[in-house]
Amino acid sequence: MVLQPAARVREAGQDVTFCCKASGTPAPQKYYWYHNGTLLEGTERSSGRLALRGLAPEQAGTYHCKASSEAGAIRSAPAQLTVLAPGQQSCRAEPEPSLVELPSECPQDANGSRYYNVGRCPASPCPGDPSEPSGCGRESGLCCGVRRMELRQVPCAGSVLPLKVVAECGCGPCAQPRVLVQGRVTAADTGEPLRFGHIFLGARKVGITGYQGSFTIEVPPDTQRLVTRFVDGQQRLVDAVKVLPFDRRGGAVYQEVKMLRKKEPVELDGGRSNAIPLGDASGREPVGELLLPAGTFLKPSGEVFNGTVKASVTFVDPRDVGTASTASSDLSFADAEGDIVPLRTYGMFAVDFREGASGAALQAGPVQVRMDTGQVWMAEHLQKMKLWSLNPESGLWEEEAVLRPDEGGDRRKREERTFLVGNLEIRERRLFNLDVPEDRRCFVKVRAYSNEKFNPYEQLEGVVVNLINLEPQPGFPSNPRAWGRFDSAVTGANGACLPAFCDARRPDAYAALVTATLGGEELEAVASSPKLNPNAVGVAQPYLGKLGYRRSDHEDAALKKTAFQINVAKPDPDNADENNGPVYSYRSLRECEEAPVSANHLRFYRVEVDKYEYNVVPFKESDVTSWTGDYLAWWPNPQEFRACFIKVRLEGPREYMVRSRNVGGSHPRTRGQLYGLRDSRSVRDPLLGDTSGACVEFKCGGMLFDQSLADRTLVSVVPQGSCRRTAINALLRDYLSRHPPLADNNHTGAFSMLAPLDPLGHNYGIYTVTDQNPRLAKEIAIGRCFAGTSDGFSREMRAGEGTAVTFECQERPEGRESLFQRLLSAPAEA
């Protein structure tokens, strides 16, 4: 499906047109349209266009199309049509509640609450202009957004803190953010980066990876499944075909892509029969074998090749959980009705046949694949096992052969083991799969939070959640630690729903191992030991007990705390305790996606000890669409986020909080006005006694949101407690002296500067990174700051390297008001 129908909003009486387009060989001949899953009569046609005139309210709902040809069928994704009554408002002027956390010195009521309602406008679509022609192209579109903001003065520590709140919402042009996928490609076994590897979207080459294996892909408009292929030009690694999740609202999602190293080739005599085992690593019994009859190797011209053949067959063994991340595609195929349906793998293999002398590629066929039935742990799968090949352009697996019981062969062997056998020819496709379609499917609801408080209004968006299906669990005969499928999803404003295999009769038939990352940072799962707390996990008893929730460190405290495992027990429709999440039946996807935050769900959270951020203009870094154009916005450009950090060294007996206060420094519209505050606790240097270091974010100097004039932010860095400035990096001091005006640094308890407009080298103690993802930009910048180097993500603390400013700190005398507090309450003109 190369063109998907798009969501539309119309008023009753208006017209609307939906369009879809499919490609294939042979070309699709018929298109059908469905409303809320029911075929619309009279919609069979040769083109994928549906026009609806004079809309009535009952025509609202979802619309999708199905294209078919002799080869099969494919369905589009559903598009939502909203039909409003005449005069009905799709965007209410009154903002929805949205709470932000104020600094710790700013309680707002008698209970000490520090949360303030700044309001927000839902990013819902508005009706299109009736005069705009209704066609199949992209509509310019109107969306609900901020129409007016107000500046509030929030009482705080005897003074006031400026804060902009949403005062009115209204319809306006929809934001058109860039949608990106970024990441790094490495070899799964050694971590070696894929240097200058080729990147394809379908058959089109779109770029190459960098020296460290990094890549950036701009997602084409209207993309539903981003199918990418990474190719090693040196042919050491197997091509990786990946379906990468992305955030449709804009910004970048970060992905770690693992590529499998090609198995060392073995030399075969093309004139004789040969057998290559599949999955014999680590002394295991092979899952099966590839039988190559004499004379099966062919040159591209079709001529039989009987010479020496170098054959490399690389097997992804699902009996090893560590191989799940190297699996190609998302293990899906299109069934006869055109639905994309999941597969459960018993192993996939890549083949590479070459002439021994010249190295020219060879084809093969027909060859035979034999699979040991003893490796199939679920008896019902024996009747459904098939052999599949991967279409690298669609990312879908396509059927090559049905595996049937072996009727011939050596009798003695058959008495020891029985096999399923299938035939195939190896031409242009080189990646194959031993799979069964699996119809026992559910969805698992997962949410991510900014901290361990799990406040509903502090959910993180843009988090990549990965789910590995594990089976079978204890109670099945062989009980291997195996996986069957690998899925990913990106959290939105209401979390994410991940597909998983499930079972209604045996709760432990299928399990799921779940992890979550944000900008490459692993989030932490809720603890399961020494005591399981249902309120923290997010799932009420007794269903939680049935799920068997276990964090990865449940039995070994030395393990990471970044994953959890559950039994995917299908909910019993007759049991009220199991009909409120976190597992939903496959037909309840919409119920899962729209579930309120009070419903059962599983949780991850960020671990940020003693770190705090305050913006005068509120912005959720995990939701790019929450950006609002304003001179006081911390991030001035929603298409590019520039993160800046300054490194501070503190010599004292403990760790200290360090604050940066950021105000307009040179722009006439912002001079003296607050942009925001950043607090960060220093980290003790493991090698230097009584020394710690902090990487404190400050607002970068540069163009403000209208891109007309730059501002050199006035940054003040103040440690909490009794500290005095003892040194400033010589390079930084020299830079600042050559770029006047200078900031006033009379007070020895603080350091002030007008932020540089240009990125500085790491020896200055200033670390700057530009990225389309605010979280990723900050992760990279702070990683460099901690490491004291300009290239890398290491978080090892070396307080003495790359330090901008040094303070000597002592225990704060009792009863003395800290400079930290006085700086917060200082008026803007001070």
Side-chain angles (χ1 to χ4, degrees), residues 547-613:
L547 297 178
Y549 177 92
R550 297 289 178 94
R551 193 167 71 175
S552 45
D553 66 335
H554 185 82
E555 295 178 348
D556 185 352
L559 295 178
K560 281 186 173 183
K561 304 173 182 179
T562 54
F564 66 78
Q565 182 174 320
I566 61 167
N567 300 322
V568 190
K570 187 174 183 178
D572 181 356
D574 298 325
N575 187 337
D577 293 329
E578 299 181 11
N579 286 294
N580 194 33
V583 181
Y584 295 82
S585 66
Y586 197 73
R587 297 188 182 278
S588 302
L589 174 59
R590 188 167 182 176
E591 182 182 343
C592 177
E593 291 177 335
E594 298 177 356
V597 71
S598 57
N600 289 334
H601 59 273
L602 298 157
R603 295 169 170 171
F604 287 94
Y605 62 94
R606 296 197 74 221
V607 180
E608 286 193 344
V609 179
D610 291 333
K611 185 176 179 181
Y612 173 74
E613 301 177 353

Side-chain angles (χ1 to χ4, degrees), residues 642 644 666 698 700-703 709-713 735 739 754-760 768:
R642 189 159 168 243
C644 293
S666 59
F698 64 90
C700 302
M703 291 290 184
L709 189 64
D711 180 31
R712 292 185 64 193
T713 310
Y735 172 86
H739 294 78
L754 284 167
L757 296 176
D758 307 314
L760 302 180
T768 304

Side-chain angles (χ1 to χ4, degrees), residues 168-238:
E168 183 183 358
C169 301
C171 291
C174 295
Q176 300 293 335
R178 294 175 68 198
V179 179
L180 302 172
V181 173
Q182 295 179 311
R184 190 163 176 258
V185 189
T186 57
D189 55 350
T190 64
E192 173 190 0
L194 174 67
R195 296 189 171 103
F196 313 120
H198 305 288
I199 308 172
F200 292 85
L201 291 184
R204 179 169 61 96
K205 183 178 176 180
V206 295
I208 60 173
T209 60
Y211 185 77
Q212 293 296 334
S214 58
F215 68 89
T216 298
I217 299 172
E218 185 160 358
V219 181
D222 302 321
T223 299
Q224 293 292 326
R225 297 175 79 245
L226 182 65
V227 181
T228 58
R229 179 162 55 102
F230 298 92
V231 178
D232 178 12
Q234 300 183 41
Q235 297 295 311
R236 299 167 305 160
L237 304 173
V238 177

Side-chain angles (χ1 to χ4, degrees), residues 699-719:
K699 186 184 184 303
C700 302
M703 291 290 184
L704 298 188
F705 91 100
D706 61 1
Q707 301 295 298
S708 64
L709 189 64
D711 180 31
R712 292 185 64 193
T713 310
L714 176 59
V715 182
S716 298
V717 178
V718 190

Side-chain angles (χ1 to χ4, degrees), residues 11-12 84-90:
E11 289 186 0
L84 303 174
Q88 180 183 352
Q89 295 294 320
S90 62

Side-chain angles (χ1 to χ4, degrees), residues 509-767:
Y510 289 100
L513 182 69
V514 188
T515 59
T517 59
L518 178 61
E521 172 197 357
E522 294 178 303
L523 303 191
E524 193 160 302
V526 179
S528 59
S529 65
K531 184 179 180 181
L532 188 64
N533 182 355
N535 291 328
V537 176
V539 182
Q541 295 285 20
Y543 198 20
L544 180 60
K546 190 174 181 180
L547 297 178
Y549 177 92
R550 297 289 178 94
R551 193 167 71 175
S552 45
D553 66 335
H554 185 82
E555 295 178 348
D556 185 352
L559 295 178
K560 281 186 173 183
K561 304 173 182 179
T562 54
F564 66 78
Q565 182 174 320
I566 61 167
N567 300 322
V568 190
K570 187 174 183 178
D572 181 356
D574 298 325
N575 187 337
D577 293 329
E578 299 181 11
N579 286 294
N580 194 33
V583 181
Y584 295 82
S585 66
Y586 197 73
R587 297 188 182 278
S588 302
L589 174 59
R590 188 167 182 176
E591 182 182 343
C592 177
E593 291 177 335
E594 298 177 356
V597 71
S598 57
N600 289 334
H601 59 273
L602 298 157
R603 295 169 170 171
F604 287 94
Y605 62 94
R606 296 197 74 221
V607 180
E608 286 193 344
V609 179
D610 291 333
K611 185 176 179 181
Y612 173 74
E613 301 177 353
Y614 172 79
N615 297 328
V616 170
V617 181
F619 172 69
K620 291 183 67 175
E621 291 180 352
S622 56
D623 180 8
V624 179
T625 60
S626 68
W627 180 86
T628 302
D630 193 286
Y631 280 103
L632 294 178
W634 185 276
W635 302 104
N637 185 352
Q639 304 289 4
E640 183 180 274
F641 297 93
R642 189 159 168 243
C644 293
F645 284 81
I646 183 169
K647 187 162 186 174
V648 180
R649 175 173 173 171
L650 299 112
E651 297 174 344
R654 58 187 180 89
E655 296 177 343
Y656 300 85
M657 290 295 293
V658 184
R659 168 166 291 181
S660 75
R661 188 174 191 267
N662 305 265
V663 301
S666 59
H667 194 289
R669 294 287 296 269
T670 62
R671 187 178 295 119
Q673 297 185 64
L674 185 68
Y675 290 116
L677 308 171
R678 295 293 187 267
D679 295 348
S680 184
R681 182 174 291 279
S682 64
V683 179
R684 189 169 298 280
D685 192 311
L687 301 179
L688 301 175
D690 287 346
T691 301
S692 62
C695 291
V696 185
E697 185 184 5
F698 64 90
K699 186 184 184 303
C700 302
M703 291 290 184
L704 298 188
F705 91 100
D706 61 1
Q707 301 295 298
S708 64
L709 189 64
D711 180 31
R712 292 185 64 193
T713 310
L714 176 59
V715 182
S716 298
V717 178
V718 190
Q720 185 180 20
S722 178
C723 301
R724 64 183 184 90
R725 188 182 71 245
T726 58
I728 301 173
N729 182 302
L731 286 173
L732 179 60
R733 187 171 61 245
D734 178 65
Y735 172 86
L736 295 174
S737 68
R738 289 185 287 106
H739 294 78
L742 296 177
D744 184 9
N745 261 309
N746 289 335
H747 199 294
T748 59
F751 167 73
S752 298
M753 70 173 180
L754 284 167
L757 296 176
D758 307 314
L760 302 180
H762 67 276
N763 290 328
Y764 289 78
I766 304 294
Y767 300 85

